[in-house]
Amino acid sequence: MTRRYDALIIGGGHNGLTCAFYLARAGLKVRVLERRHVVGGAAVTEEFHPGFRNSTASYTVSLLRPQVIADMRLADHGYRVIERTISNFFPFPDTYLKLGGGTDRTLAEFARFSKKDAAAYPAYDAALERVADVLRDLSLQIPPNVGGGLTALAAAARQGWPIAKLDIATQRDLLDIFTKSAREFLDGWFEDDHVQSAFAFDAVVGNYAGVSTPGSAYVLLHHVFGEVNGKKGAWGHAVGGMGAITQAMARACELAGVEISLEAPVAKVLVDGNKVAGVLLESGEEVAAPLVAANVGPALLYRQMVEASDLPEDFNRRIKGFKTGSGTFRMNVALSELPDFAVLPGKEKAEHHTAGIIIAPGMDYMDQAFIDAQQHGWSKKPIVEIKIPSTVDDSLAPPGCHVASLFCQQFDPALDWDAHREEVADLIIDTVTEHAPNFRGSVIARQIHSPLDLERKFGLIGGDIFHGHMSLDQLWSARPVLGHGDYRSPIGGLYMCGSGTHPGGGVTGAPGHNAAQAILADRSLVSRLFRR
Ligand SMILES: Cc1cc2nc3c(=O)[nH]c(=O)nc-3n(C[C@H](O)[C@H](O)[C@H](O)COP(=O)(O)OP(=O)(O)OC[C@H]3O[C@@H](n4cnc5c(N)ncnc54)[C@H](O)[C@@H]3O)c2cc1C
């Protein structure tokens, strides 16, 4: 094995690319090893039917950190995000609710259901913003390594200080968000089921849980810490689909000197003593390097790529218990026409077609979806978000036609999905058709991703869209395991840089950024010691 690289990155997802970029910019010789024929991981755009392209998995952008966008100069490489006029459209059996489009519109919309809720909204929005600001600040910081001595204590104090300075009301909100269910949290603010549902949906996205499950309020917060073009909390469409983001990242990497190898699956992490030595590719080739950063999730890395004998026993036990499986089912459909909703008729493009269209009519509906999934494997009445990106981006579908992302929640990750995927895909299409009667007839083609398909295609264990549950026991310093929340693994020179680390899933670039800072800090410490 000849050593030609300072660092290898296992996986060319957006975090792997981000980490590679920062390391290369600091002068390291970096090689990214990606299993698929395309970089981007869960953030890719692919053709799924002749003439129809869509973001294959992840489909909407907000959480990508502005600092990462600026440092990688993504705008120079084609990154552009379109905001939508309204953010969401919720069809209910006999009415609808539109969310977004400015505070005045939102207040008027809520007032149709409850004047009290409309009055409560500004204070709710401000409270959530204050709490989201805490998360924004923490997102690009390395969590203190519990048990890591004085440096960790100093980091804990530094990161805890802004929280300690918050007023008591915000500290209470923070506690609520981290400990309560979405239902309990929203009950404290709103009375109307339509209004509550509009906010609670975020709590079940990528979260195999009901709105009454303790801790589900945090996932709601995780979906609002982003921003689009400087607008806090907004979500937008990346022109060209999510793959445009990762293609821009790949260009930034290449300009920084990163070597990217496609169709180069890693089989094993090579360890010599207690230090990483490189990786073994599935092709049998060994690639040597003193640093390896894994973009794959902790469950894949530590259960399949690292020999258990190279890891401490307690660590292995904890990783065995690391929870994955977001219960997500994801389809792409090619459409001959736009859905014609019974509660808001019309097939001509209107603002609600450009929004995130969310079928989750009621808090009980969302809880029932989870109960069904636990009892029968999937919900009889699924939660479905429909995004039709071709309404704002004509590069994705032939003229007159459309593509839609169907993002569906509450599907048992452990089910034998090869036996059930088509049946469930039909159920999802029927569910949309109940609200938009022309939908089934408009589907020209469909691409199905059950939880098992997500695992096979993207290496997401249990189909987990976040590389692991976003529950309190798996966040911040405890992501993935207490003592290793700082991107460092138990093996010298082996780091984690993917969504299975702080601040978790979503297209943020934060784990990649932070892991690179940890690696560079360790290198500079080593070189300082060496110079002495
Ligand atoms: C269906 C779905 C919908 C989502 N929707 C959104 C959304 O709309 N907005 C949002 O912000 N987030 C969304 N997410 C979450 C977000 O996309 C992910 O959290 C994020 O993209 C993960 O990025 P990552 O770089 O950490 O890991 P990944 O993207 O998972 O990258 C890991 C990389 O490792 C590669 N790999 C796997 N095994 C090997 C191997 N053996 N050797 C080499 N390489 C390997 C994979 O191919 C992949 O490229 C969604 C995710 C999914 C799956």
Side-chain angles (χ1 to χ4, degrees):
M1 255 198 317
T2 50
R3 181 188 280 188
R4 288 172 39 210
Y5 303 100
D6 297 316
L8 303 174
I9 313 285
I10 306 176
H14 85 283
N15 277 313
L17 295 171
T18 304
C19 184
F21 167 80
Y22 283 108
L23 295 182
R25 197 179 71 164
L28 274 66
K29 179 88 186 110
V30 185
R31 181 173 173 192
V32 172
L33 299 157
E34 167 55 42
R35 185 174 68 112
R36 293 194 73 210
H37 62 281
V38 59
V39 289
V44 283
T45 305
E46 292 171 286
E47 188 175 66
F48 65 97
H49 185 68
F52 292 84
R53 298 160 63 237
N54 199 14
S55 304
T56 313
S58 168
Y59 58 96
T60 177
V61 64
S62 172
L63 308 178
L64 190 57
R65 299 290 73 217
Q67 189 181 325
V68 172
I69 297 171
D71 289 347
M72 297 183 84
R73 303 173 69 101
L74 296 184
D76 294 351
H77 305 303
Y79 172 76
R80 192 159 71 85
V81 179
I82 298 178
E83 293 164 52
R84 298 179 163 91
T85 326
I86 56 164
S87 47
N88 293 119
F89 167 65
F90 296 83
F92 288 83
D94 50 6
T95 185
Y96 64 82
L97 187 155
K98 288 181 182 178
L99 192 62
T103 309
D104 290 348
R105 276 193 71 173
T106 304
L107 291 182
E109 191 70 350
F110 286 174
R112 292 201 297 122
F113 298 95
S114 158
K115 294 215 165 20
K116 198 166 158 246
D117 286 358
Y121 174 67
Y124 169 83
D125 191 42
L128 211 59
E129 257 315 305
R130 282 193 297 274
V131 178
D133 272 340
V134 174
L135 197 57
R136 282 187 192 109
D137 286 350
L138 289 179
S139 68
L140 287 189
Q141 298 190 48
I142 299 173
N145 181 16
V146 174
L150 280 180
T151 332
L153 266 181
R158 203 172 48 246
Q159 293 181 35
W161 180 236
I163 299 173
K165 276 194 317 186
L166 293 172
D167 61 67
I168 188 67
T170 310
Q171 290 192 20
R172 286 176 184 144
D173 289 332
L174 202 60
L175 181 68
D176 282 354
I177 281 270
F178 275 96
T179 54
K180 287 190 170 175
S181 69
R183 191 190 282 268
E184 286 170 327
F185 177 66
L186 291 165
D187 270 347
W189 289 96
F190 304 112
E191 62 179 12
D192 179 79
D193 191 50
H194 304 84
V195 175
Q196 288 197 347
S197 304
F199 294 116
F201 168 74
D202 275 344
V204 296
V205 170
N207 191 12
Y208 190 48
V211 291
S212 299
T213 308
S216 53
Y218 174 74
V219 181
L220 186 159
L221 174 71
H222 190 77
H223 283 98
V224 301
F225 85 88
E227 59 185 78
V228 163
N229 304 333
K231 250 187 219 159
K232 286 181 177 180
W235 288 79
H237 170 74
V239 177
M242 297 300 275
I245 301 176
T246 44
Q247 288 301 315
M249 287 181 157
R251 276 192 285 280
C253 281
E254 278 158 4
L255 281 178
V258 174
E259 186 179 324
I260 298 177
S261 304
L262 299 176
E263 296 178 327
V266 171
K268 288 277 170 219
V269 173
L270 301 172
V271 179
D272 187 5
N274 190 31
K275 285 213 166 70
V276 81
V279 298
L280 169 69
L281 300 186
E282 278 181 16
S283 63
E285 185 192 344
E286 289 188 353
V287 189
L291 290 172
V292 174
N295 181 198
V296 296
L300 180 53
L301 174 68
Y302 296 118
R303 292 183 201 155
Q304 297 184 27
M305 290 183 174
V306 179
E307 291 297 339
S309 54
D310 288 324
L311 294 165
E313 204 178 305
D314 186 62
F315 183 84
N316 279 329
R317 194 168 63 80
R318 308 278 169 181
I319 285 292
K320 198 170 160 216
F322 182 74
K323 293 177 289 185
T324 60
S326 54
T328 313
F329 200 101
R330 173 76 171 84
M331 289 168 67
N332 290 300
V333 289
L335 299 176
S336 60
E337 60 183 8
L338 289 170
D340 186 4
F341 287 92
V343 290
L344 187 57
K347 290 192 281 192
E348 288 306 309
K349 186 171 93 174
E351 67 175 6
H352 66 284
H353 290 121
T354 68
I357 301 164
I358 293 166
I359 299 178
M363 299 294 275
D364 290 346
Y365 182 104
M366 286 186 262
D367 267 341
Q368 192 58 47
F370 180 51
I371 294 166
D372 278 358
Q374 288 174 299
Q375 290 175 349
H376 313 290
W378 62 84
S379 40
K380 292 179 196 150
K381 290 185 171 293
I383 299 166
V384 183
E385 176 173 8
I386 309 152
K387 273 248 164 77
I388 314 175
S390 48
T391 56
V392 292
D393 181 349
D394 60 12
S395 72
L396 301 173
C401 294
H402 287 280
V403 288
S405 308
L406 304 183
F407 190 40
C408 317
Q409 314 300 327
Q410 312 311 349
F411 299 86
D412 182 356
L415 207 69
D416 171 10
W417 282 105
D418 285 334
H420 299 292
R421 58 202 295 280
E422 298 292 333
E423 181 185 354
V424 168
D426 282 338
L427 171 71
I428 289 165
I429 287 178
D430 285 346
T431 304
V432 181
T433 307
E434 269 179 38
H435 293 267
N438 70 330
F439 188 71
R440 173 168 281 285
S442 71
V443 176
I444 301 167
R446 67 191 196 184
Q447 180 190 42
I448 305 171
H449 295 109
S450 70
L452 185 59
D453 299 319
L454 291 174
E455 175 165 327
R456 285 182 183 142
K457 187 175 276 185
F458 300 107
L460 300 167
I461 301 297
D464 198 307
I465 72 164
F466 295 144
H467 287 191
H469 283 196
M470 299 283 295
S471 46
L472 192 54
D473 56 327
Q474 297 192 169
L475 288 176
W476 200 43
S477 291
R479 191 165 183 85
V481 169
L482 213 57
H484 297 280
D486 60 357
Y487 308 94
R488 298 168 176 98
S489 82
I491 296 167
L494 177 64
Y495 296 80
M496 296 164 280
C497 67
S499 296
T501 57
H502 171 76
V507 178
T508 67
H513 166 277
N514 298 352
Q517 306 315 308
I519 293 169
L520 294 173
D522 290 355
R523 267 178 67 95
S524 96
L525 181 70
V526 167
S527 70
R528 279 206 308 274
L529 291 174
F530 194 67
R531 258 188 262 130
R532 270 190 210 149

